[in-house]
Amino acid sequence: MVLLHQQLSSRKRPGINRQVPPPKIPKPTTTTTTATTSVSDESRRPQNDDAEGTDIDKMVSLLAEAGCTLFHPSGSPCLPSNPHNFRRHLHRLFSSSSNASLRSAFLSGFSLYIQSSQNLHRVLLPSNRDGLGPATCESLVRHLLLVPPIQIDLQNVLLEKLPEYFDINPEYSGRLSSLDEDVARLIVNHFRWLDFLVDSYAFTNKLLQVLSICPLHLKKEIIVSLPEIIGDQNNKAVVDSLEKMLQEDSAIIVPVLDSLSNLNLDNQLQEQVITIALSCIRTIDAEHLPYLLRFLFLSATPTNVRRIISQIREQLKFVGVASSCTVKHSKLKGKSALGNTNASILDALRSSLRFKNILCQEILKETKCIERVQDHKVIDIWLLMLIYMNGESLQKSVEKIFKKKIIEGCIHEVMIDQCIGGNMELVQDYFSSFLSLSEYLLACKEQKARDFGIHMYSILFEEFVDTFSRQEILGALVTHVGSGISFEVTSALDTMIMLVSKYAHELVPLSSHINGVLDYLEGFSVENLHKVYEFFSHLAISARSREKFFGSSISNELFMIVRKQVNSPDLKYKKMGLIGTLKIVSCLVDANISTCPAPSMQANSEEALELLKASLESCKQFPLPLILFYDELITMLDCRSVQPAIVDWIGKHVGEFESMFLSDLEGGQLSVKDLYCGLEGELMMNLDGDISPICLNILPLVSSSLQSSSNLQILPANFLLLSTIERLANHGSLGGIDALLGCPLHLPSSKYFSGDCLQSLTGKQKHIVCLSLYYATNWIRELLNAFCTQVIGRFACTTQATREEMIVKLFKRLRNLLFLESLLNNSLKLYPLSLPELHLHVEHSGFQPNLVGHVEKKNEHKKTYESLSSSKKRKDRKMSKASKDSGIDGKLRQPTIFDVLKKAGATTSQGTPNDDSSALSPKCRTSESADQHTYDTNKNISLEVSAIFKVLEAQRSKFRPLLVDCFSILTFSTNQDSCCPDPAAELPLHLYLLRDIRHKLDFFSTPSKAFSAQHFSAPPGLSGVTVSQFLAKITPLFPTFKKHFNAAVSILKEGNENCEEHWKVQYASAGNPDIPNVVLSRSSVCTSVFREILHCFKKMLSLADVNLDKQILSDLLEAFQPLRISDSIFSGLLPVPLPGTIEYLYCGAYSFVEDVLDLACSFSFMLASEALLTLESIATSIMKFNDKLMQRNNRSTSMGSFEAVLPGLRSRLCTSSHKILMHNWDNENSENSVKSKGEIMQKILQVYLENSESTSDLLHELACSILPQAQTPKTTEEDDYHGFPTLCPATFNIWYRVLHEENLAILNKLVKEVVHSEKHRAAVQLDIVEELLTKLQKSVNVLVSLVDMCRTHDKVTVHAMAVKYGGKFVDSFLKIHFQMHNELVIQLVKELQKATRTIQTLCAEAKGLKQTVITSKIPSTKRSMERFLFRVKALLHTSSSECTFWMGNLKHKDLMGQVVSSQAYMDYQNDNNNNPEEPTAEEGQCAGDASEEEDREME
């Protein structure tokens, strides 16, 4: 009975009609042959037809017996309701050996039956099932494949039928066909998920043979299905076959990867697959790269992850690296033709990294390990950014790597341009991550990282033109500006200025997001205030030029704020307003900026003139704001090309200079000689003689200005502005005002400059004398600043004769300056006075006092020098009141460096003036001024012109600065006019300039610890000057340094005072008055020049910009080359450095300073120590320079000769430091005494230890042999019992501390090596660890010896250092893994216990004696001892050692080991009789806590 089932509806392929009944089996027929037909052929065909029909009938009957109806009206065969019985029946039938012919007939009939495509299609489609209701089941072929006896033959039959359907490609048939209509796919689908394979090997081979000839679409289908077809068997054959096919056609990479990822491969095959995939990275199409990368990352294991990451980095050609030119000229900016592909690649990488943390860790490690700059690629940036974006846990690591690579120069700005430039759509999803990284970089302390952050902000703003993104960028920058960290604020403002210079019009509509910065202007430093106003000035002018689009609200707001500030009575806000006004003016009148003002507004130049006039009017009555106004005008004129109308207006204003400050002379003399407040006047320093037509009215102006604002306060700034205008009007020439260079100064008579006369003056007269000298000093300074521009070759407007004449006058003016400053310094000693400021400033550099400016002159002179008066309560109250009266400035005042200098003795305290003597009030009590000083008025004080003017240095920040151009005087000489070339006559002048250079270098160098917590503004004269600009200006001076250094050394060698009149003759020729107490010590000058030049050389070597610029470094080293380099310095060097190389120059400079050191040892300890520290700076510079080479090049090629040079120089450095330590200095001479040079002695000793061949051996010798002898007093002065004259009771503390510090440093280094070696468990590494532990024994011995000295040394400072460094030593010692090296560690513990017991005793005694110096260090040391105690207990408990451990309360003993009476018990003698060889762990508590010993169990 045949049951009809409902047929499944499906689309039909053309040519196949499943409703047509199957054709009937043809029956055999007899035909008559013709004469033309072969007899044999005609007789064979009927036989074949009969055989085929018989086989098919047999097959049909066998299926029918099993319950399957092959021919069914619905088209598909009908299977029985229980297919398992169907398969079991066929299995039994074909398994019998007696039915072999029946099996063959079935297979033959089935093969003949499916020769018809319709029949094949019928048996491949789902079959109908007998039973109730519609139902379908698997196809007939599927059931037959599950019959074991016929499976392999049936598989072969189907695979052989597969090529007949290769020509059908559903991808090109015009429509997509279903699986039921595609015979080839149906056949393949029948092989999937079979319950078993009878002969997997044979079937796999047959399938792979067919696969190799399949068309692409079918090949992909089969490859994807391979894991489902063959299971986990024959994986080796499958992998090999797929590899071969991949080599022939890479288009199948995606299905191959899909198939391989689903195979269950062993480790060997997995590595083979990884190798196959990695080999395809270069050849694969870009569209397939995401699949390949995802496969590789998901296949990563701890064993192959490094290989995968490395190969991907090397071979992946990540697209999206558009060139800058392409980006700049691309019309479709922000889009890329391969954007979708790149996005897919990044998405694949991102998803893989998210789910495989091992990949992130390995990428970070791989990136860290890249050394060569050229090995860094754009893909590295993307990988780091993907890790940065995926999780917060690794963001810190990514940021640190980014910063490190940027500082090392491995990641360049070009690389970030390739990532972001022209790829807006690609970077869109990663915008927040790039912005976050930019924020981090801009907040870094390192300048290079901040510069990179600035560039990232710029490129992000350029690429992302949408409003949201740009608002985010500006918001981040405003956050930086509000951070309050000076360097971060500066970099953020630099970024904003760069953006406004390029995209001013785009920023105008976004101005509301940044206007808030204007509400916090008072929080900015002066430099940053300039930048804020520059940004908003550009923005405001741009807004005005496009008023019809965006309005000019930002412009109106800025102008309103500036006008309010300028008219404010508060000096702080007036200063801010003046800076803002001048910035607006500079933008308005800049001839290089083309702006288009709105028709309703005035022309830019007219508006600028109005602003200038209003600003000038607001500050005419206040000297300090007017000085700032002039200085800002000078900066504007020097930096910008200003419109002629502005220059003309400024020229008219400064034209009043002559009427304000100058007087006419008749024959070089004053026409009328008057008394000024009872003081006689005198013309001094006249360089032009009788032909001088004018003089500078200093004395008359000072005497007339005590009750009002002094014009002299603005004199230097006014003159500098005048000279600037003169240069602009005359193409750089100052010929129109050259009479000012030689004109005399009207000053108080020289008779008042002696100690007796000055003391006899009234307070008001002293005040006039001091101020006259002060203004004259600053006038000379500005003369040097102005006229040095005429002789340095910047302008070609001066003739050679004029230039030579001007050089002579400049030298004379420099002599005048030294004379005036020495007089002023001496006068301020006798009459302490707070000098008026000559430039407005609130912040100062680290080497200047922080003295706040004042609005009124009366308030200005009430403040500072009250600190030099007596400390009575009445005066304290007055000082407090003065502080209150100072208003806002008083609130801003903080403890200053001046206070520090005063405490250190830098300011004089010889005089104790009364309250009124330092005030500017005209009602000063002059009658009390002459007898309120402690000086001996009958004794003249000698003026040493070469000495450091300590009193002036305390107020140096108030002086007008010397500009960098003035240092060119060092390159000139006027000795040809003397009777013989005596360098000593000019050395004081050079010394003065060298000291100023040193101060400026100190600013550029790393700040000292005392001032590292706060960022200081640039000192006067260096505002806006970068390190590179400063170095560019002083580089030509390098040979001059060497010249003056040789002159000083030559004079020190000769030691005579030949031609003593040279200085006096040249001193007199400069117009200085003849004062007998002005002296010059040639030896002092030469010694100071020696030290200053070496200090400058050392400072320049320490500058990072010098080590980065090979040309500047070479010029510096070449300037300090000896005439002949000693052969000994090259001994042992292979190869010997070639002349001209940087290594050769280093060796030459070292040899030069080393030769000087030998000479310095015979003169001064300070000179010798300065030379030694210079030698150390040379060695340090070599290491820094070599590190830079290693970062730029391959490590194996960059070290080269430096590896040979550096050890030799360090050995010589150790020898030089040993020579200084062994030298017997004359302690009676303050210059040679080592007792007062503690810090220098400490540094020399550190150099000696750090550069020795074996620091640990040297430490052991010094601590165990040398230092203990220093505690014993000498029997005679010649008794050299330990060999180090510099080691004496006065320096014992220094040696003791340095030995402790160096020993601790060695211990930390050894512990790190031990811990690092312990991570490798190999036996070879254990030997290394044991060797390191053996070295640790020396460090332990050093500690024991140093601590043991406390038993015989009773200084509390020594005991405190023993407790402090002993605790630190134990802390570092505990980092060793005790359980790994039991025996060695136990020996170390036994030795270390000697020191810890003494430290415990020191702690106990300090508590009893209340020695706070020691007790403050006890808690941390006790904690270290406690940890040490339990670690030792655990060690002895787990070890096999015979040592026993007991722990109890410590008895109270003194340093001699005697039990203190308060803790003496009857049985202490029995305790002392215990076995002394029994080792004990460290005691857990100090004395006095308990009365008897008790065991303690470890918790």
Side-chain angles (χ1 to χ4, degrees), residues 995-1146:
R995 284 173 176 161
D996 199 271
I997 293 177
R998 177 175 61 84
H999 281 303
K1000 289 179 169 59
L1001 284 173
D1002 287 339
F1003 168 74
F1004 289 119
S1005 301
T1006 304
S1008 61
K1009 293 181 180 179
F1011 309 110
S1012 60
Q1014 182 179 356
H1015 181 80
F1016 294 91
S1017 298
L1022 289 181
S1023 180
V1025 179
T1026 63
V1027 183
S1028 56
Q1029 293 172 346
F1030 180 77
L1031 289 174
K1033 288 190 175 183
I1034 68 170
T1035 298
L1037 305 180
F1038 293 163
T1040 308
F1041 289 165
K1042 169 76 175 306
K1043 172 187 172 184
H1044 299 320
F1045 186 84
N1046 288 338
V1049 171
S1050 176
I1051 294 173
L1052 287 175
K1053 284 183 179 179
E1054 294 173 1
N1056 54 20
E1057 298 288 336
N1058 294 332
C1059 298
E1060 294 181 359
E1061 296 298 322
H1062 289 167
W1063 164 259
K1064 295 182 179 180
V1065 170
Q1066 296 186 18
Y1067 168 82
S1069 67
N1072 293 322
D1074 185 13
I1075 298 179
N1077 56 346
V1078 176
V1079 296
L1080 172 69
S1081 172
R1082 290 170 53 127
S1083 61
S1084 176
V1085 171
C1086 295
T1087 301
S1088 299
V1089 169
F1090 185 105
R1091 293 180 57 188
E1092 293 296 337
I1093 292 180
L1094 285 184
H1095 187 85
C1096 292
F1097 179 63
K1098 179 176 62 177
K1099 284 289 183 182
M1100 286 185 286
L1101 281 178
S1102 67
L1103 292 176
D1105 293 64
V1106 172
N1107 289 285
L1108 290 175
D1109 194 325
K1110 186 176 181 181
Q1111 184 59 47
I1112 294 180
L1113 180 61
S1114 300
D1115 292 342
L1116 179 61
L1117 295 174
E1118 190 172 1
F1120 286 86
Q1121 296 296 302
L1123 296 177
R1124 179 182 176 276
I1125 301 178
S1126 174
D1127 295 335
S1128 62
I1129 203 167
F1130 296 121
S1131 61
L1133 295 185
L1134 291 176
V1136 176
L1138 298 176
T1141 61
I1142 194 70
E1143 299 92 332
Y1144 186 88
L1145 294 176
Y1146 267 120

Side-chain angles (χ1 to χ4, degrees), residues 293 297 305-306 308-316 318 345-354 359-367 370 375-391 394-395 397-399 401-402 411 415-416 419 430 433-434 437:
L293 296 175
F297 276 169
V305 62
R306 179 176 289 273
I308 292 174
I309 297 298
S310 177
Q311 290 296 319
I312 288 177
R313 283 192 61 263
E314 291 179 6
Q315 301 186 35
L316 179 61
F318 184 72
I345 293 174
L346 291 178
D347 186 64
L349 293 173
R350 180 183 175 187
S351 60
S352 301
L353 293 175
R354 179 179 296 173
L359 292 170
C360 299
Q361 298 291 348
E362 189 58 39
I363 289 173
L364 296 180
K365 291 180 183 178
E366 180 75 13
T367 308
I370 305 173
D375 289 342
H376 292 76
K377 301 180 179 181
V378 176
I379 187 62
D380 295 324
I381 296 180
W382 275 113
L383 289 174
L384 291 175
M385 290 306 303
L386 292 174
I387 297 173
Y388 187 82
M389 187 177 183
N390 273 341
L394 295 177
Q395 283 186 356
S397 300
V398 173
E399 289 172 349
I401 292 175
F402 250 110
I411 296 181
M415 298 172 67
I416 206 69
C419 284
Y430 308 94
S433 297
F434 277 104
L437 183 62

